[in-house]
Amino acid sequence: MGIRNVKTNLSSLTTMNSSPDQLRVLIASSHPLFAQGISSLLEKRPEMDTEVVGMVSTIDEAMDALKNLHPDLVIVDYDDDQVNREEFLARFVEGEGRLRVVLFSLKEGGDEAIVYDRRTMAASQIEDWLDGLSQRTGEPEPLPVEPDETPEQPKRRDSMRHLILAGLLVAVLIVGSYFLLTTIELLPEQASLQAKPIDDLFRLDFIAIAVLFSLIIGLMVYSIVVFRRRKGDETDGPHIEGNSRLEVVWTLVPLLFVLFLAYYGSVALGKTTAADPQPLRMDVIGTQWSWRFEYPAYGIISTEMVMPVNKQALLNLSSTDVIHSFWVPEFRVKQDLLPGEDFERELRVTPIEVGEYKVRCAELCGRNHYDMLAPVKVLSQADFDAWVEAQTGPVSDDPVLRGQAVTQQYGCLACHSTDGSEMAGPTWLGVYGSQEALNDGTSVTVDREYIIKSIREPGIQIVAGFQNIMPAGIGADLTDEQIEDVIAFIESLQ
Ligand code: CUA
């Protein structure tokens, strides 16, 4: 038969024939020691009147024992690999018969036992639990440890309540954070046509930021407050296995949103790069650390960016030295300027608001990067025409004035002062005709020859105390006549 009849009545030691009131216990374990341990636990409580009627290690043996020994309770050895506890539970708890099955794990020392869901019980709690076992009248007492036996309805109602409260908190946070994001004026004035699709993207981003922030922070704060560990509660949280439906949802929703963002972003990119048939062409040249704006149609070179309103400007951007970045926040669009003739970049801007703005360099480009600024003036068409007229008027016949204009246009004054103050390059005040010590220990007289050489081949003779940072390509942009004018201007600064 395979059933080892232990037949130990440990509670009273009197009756070999079990009385009808006795609790008949069947033990499922392949270790006799387990039965001994359970027996000694029961033995300490003679009033319980229990009898261990047998010991089995397989479900078949248990079925036989059910017929022959009529147990009331099956105690399954949790730690016994030979005993398939899932099978016992399925067969006896959820399946036929109102038989009570308890999973039991004995620890060494006998001070602690682990029951069913692996909750650790103190010795005193085991006593209480054993008390519960012995009450045989009516429906089985709900075990303190069996989560499945807590009533379903209140649990569901509780979850609903948490869901509604947490949902309300998240909703309030979403509205609040979106309101904040849109009212603290993160974005300056919209001064270009291209700013609109970019701001629409920003607005969508703000919504996504508000929702994600509120969902994460809201649920986290709610959980921290509502589900915090109460004083004296030593129990573990419920073991949750995972939820395929939830995982599919939280994968698909962000995926669809990101795909939508890609589509929406490409539409916005199309709008910001849309070309007008007759734009105003401008060359924008970045140099450490100044800007130059050239208008090929008018032959104008300027250190100010002057634009007519409501007309698209097509900017060709290039750099004479390192990478710079053209950025007027009110226009939103931004583009790097790259050194090298093959790397010209294009940017289209249609200013829609008359006003004064500032172009700033948005790429760390060296010592005076912070100061690489230039004014932007958006004028009415009439004012713009007047400006063009003034710029293209008759050239002065004073070489000093012409030279001053050249040094402004080409950004020389970003590094060379005319008042003796210290900047990235030597001051021009009183420099003409002076003796200057050089980096290599020699010295030189600052004359016409030296100035031409310093412009055409900067870096060959560096004045002591200064670095070799003069734009190498600057000489190629200047004509001999312009350089003569520059010399005249420097000579005049005494
Ligand atoms: Cu140019 Cu920073």
Side-chain angles (χ1 to χ4, degrees), residues 63-99:
M63 296 313 286
D64 286 338
L66 206 58
K67 271 183 239 145
N68 302 318
L69 303 170
H70 311 292
D72 304 304
L73 173 72
V74 184
I75 294 180
V76 180
D77 185 353
Y78 191 93
D79 303 313
D80 188 349
D81 291 340
Q82 293 189 34
V83 171
N84 185 336
R85 53 178 188 260
E86 272 75 29
E87 204 173 5
F88 273 85
L89 283 174
R91 231 20 197 281
F92 293 114
V93 176
E94 290 140 26
E96 62 248 51
R98 270 181 46 246
L99 201 62

Side-chain angles (χ1 to χ4, degrees), residues 159-179:
S159 307
M160 212 32 147
R161 194 172 58 91
H162 287 309
L163 204 62
I164 291 170
L165 286 177
L168 277 176
L169 178 66
V170 169
V172 167
L173 276 174
I174 288 175
V175 173
S177 48
Y178 182 72
F179 178 77

Side-chain angles (χ1 to χ4, degrees), residues 275-287:
D276 271 6
Q278 300 233 287
L280 169 67
R281 295 187 65 92
M282 292 171 67
D283 296 327
V284 177
I285 299 110
T287 292

Side-chain angles (χ1 to χ4, degrees), residues 287 289 291 322-325 361-366 369-370 372:
T287 292
W289 291 277
W291 297 94
V322 298
I323 299 175
H324 303 278
S325 183
C361 178
E363 182 70 51
L364 186 59
C365 57
H369 155 73
Y370 72 94
M372 191 167 160

Side-chain angles (χ1 to χ4, degrees), residues 102 104 115 121 125-133 143-145:
V102 168
F104 210 90
V115 181
M121 284 177 143
Q125 289 173 304
I126 299 173
E127 306 267 292
D128 291 345
W129 177 75
L130 285 172
D131 280 348
L133 281 187
L143 293 178
V145 291

Side-chain angles (χ1 to χ4, degrees), residues 77 125 134 167 169 257-258 329 383 393 396 420 436 461:
D77 185 353
Q125 289 173 304
S134 65
L169 178 66
F257 184 68
V258 167
D383 288 348
S396 167
E436 295 290 334
Q461 288 178 303

